[in-house]
Amino acid sequence: IGASAAYFGTRGLISAITTSTELAGIQEQAEKKLEVALGRTSKSLLNQASALQKVTTFGDESIIGVQASIAAFVDSEEATAATLDIAVAMGMDLKSAGDLVAKTLGSSTNAMSRYGIEVTGAVGSSERLESLTGNVAKLFGGQAAAQADTYAGSVQQLKNELGDMAEDIGRILIPVFQNLRPHLQSGIDALRKILKQEEENEKVTSSYSEKIKKSSEMINLLRERTDGLTTSNIFQKRHTEEGLELLERARNKNVKAI
């Protein structure tokens, strides 16, 4: 029981640490993706992601992911904001909306035409960017911010804030966890040995129980057979044997036994 309690306690601690560090890792990966796409770190885009999280239902790590997709073709805060409005208005996930915007800005194909959004201008030109963001604003402007004003939206914003808090904790815990990892691993190995020993003890106990059960059954069987050998049965058996002996003697002497 003690080993099991220690196991679940350790697992709870590891789960909390893992969740926080994973969230911090996701944020770090998103920021790195944006940095690679731009070829530099953009403080303004990171600040925009944090600001948009406060007025929409999207987490900043998801917004940064969209910024990275668009940044392969253009560095534009307006395109990011437009993407959020498209995602909410069309009921699609943010990544899919970001892919549509990136494809439209980075190629001659207007992937937004099926949604009634007209885009003109040469690929990579400011005219094409302004055409896209302007028409999105006319059709869907303010959709992302309006979603945050609903009850469900406020709940999602709270989740995003809690996620950010977990990320902050994760950033603190990552170096701590790296130092603790060898010790935690030793603890896990020790618990495994204890649990394995308990399992082996249980098997031995089960084996003994089975042997005791079989021995009890054998004793009961012998007892039943012994109970049948009463004094009366023994007496009858003795006279039967004497009668058979007399018959055998008479047969040998050719005398009829009476």
Side-chain angles (χ1 to χ4, degrees), residues 33 58 62-71 73-74 78-106 109-115 117 119 129 132-133 136 140 143-144:
K33 183 179 178 182
F58 298 105
S62 298
I63 297 171
I64 294 171
V66 167
Q67 291 173 332
S69 297
I70 297 173
F73 308 102
V74 60
E78 292 78 8
T80 300
T83 302
L84 271 60
D85 285 331
I86 293 170
V88 173
M90 303 311 300
M92 64 178 66
D93 64 87
L94 190 55
K95 183 181 183 305
S96 297
D99 290 343
L100 288 176
V101 171
K103 183 176 181 181
T104 299
L105 292 175
T109 300
N110 178 13
M112 313 298 297
S113 60
R114 71 180 72 178
Y115 304 108
I117 301 173
V119 179
L129 173 62
L132 185 149
T133 56
V136 168
F140 309 129
Q143 287 282 359

Side-chain angles (χ1 to χ4, degrees), residues 13-199:
L13 173 62
I14 293 174
S15 177
I17 293 174
T18 301
T19 298
S20 296
T21 53
E22 282 181 352
L23 290 174
I26 291 172
Q27 181 77 16
E28 181 183 18
Q29 289 175 338
E31 293 179 6
K32 178 60 67 175
K33 183 179 178 182
L34 176 60
E35 179 184 339
V36 171
L38 288 173
R40 58 183 172 81
T41 299
S42 174
K43 191 66 177 177
S44 62
L45 287 178
L46 293 177
N47 289 338
Q48 183 201 26
S50 296
L52 287 174
Q53 174 178 286
K54 296 182 183 301
V55 296
T56 68
T57 59
F58 298 105
D60 59 347
E61 69 283 351
S62 298
I63 297 171
I64 294 171
V66 167
Q67 291 173 332
S69 297
I70 297 173
F73 308 102
V74 60
D75 181 357
S76 169
E77 294 184 12
E78 292 78 8
T80 300
T83 302
L84 271 60
D85 285 331
I86 293 170
V88 173
M90 303 311 300
M92 64 178 66
D93 64 87
L94 190 55
K95 183 181 183 305
S96 297
D99 290 343
L100 288 176
V101 171
K103 183 176 181 181
T104 299
L105 292 175
S107 70
S108 58
T109 300
N110 178 13
M112 313 298 297
S113 60
R114 71 180 72 178
Y115 304 108
I117 301 173
E118 182 180 354
V119 179
T120 59
V123 175
S125 66
S126 58
E127 178 188 353
R128 192 171 184 82
L129 173 62
E130 292 171 1
S131 174
L132 185 149
T133 56
N135 287 328
V136 168
K138 290 178 183 178
L139 294 173
F140 309 129
Q143 287 282 359
Q147 193 72 16
D149 290 334
T150 65
Y151 170 73
S154 64
V155 171
Q156 184 58 50
Q157 282 189 313
L158 180 59
K159 289 181 179 179
N160 291 337
E161 289 295 330
L162 291 173
D164 281 352
M165 183 175 68
E167 290 171 11
D168 293 338
I169 294 173
R171 291 189 186 95
I172 297 172
L173 287 178
I174 284 176
V176 176
F177 178 73
Q178 289 174 337
N179 292 331
L180 285 177
R181 187 179 181 281
H183 304 289
L184 291 172
Q185 187 63 54
S186 298
I188 291 172
D189 292 340
L191 284 172
R192 282 177 176 169
K193 290 180 180 178
I194 293 172
L195 293 172
K196 184 177 181 181
Q197 185 62 50
E198 288 183 354
E199 182 180 357

Side-chain angles (χ1 to χ4, degrees), residues 204-234:
V204 171
T205 302
S206 177
S207 176
Y208 285 157
S209 297
E210 186 65 25
K211 291 179 180 179
I212 292 172
K213 180 181 177 182
K214 290 182 178 179
S215 298
S216 297
E217 291 174 351
M218 181 62 69
I219 291 171
N220 290 333
L221 179 60
L222 292 173
R223 183 179 296 166
E224 290 175 1
R225 293 182 177 179
T226 302
D227 289 343
L229 296 176
T230 63
T231 304
S232 176
N233 289 338
I234 295 172

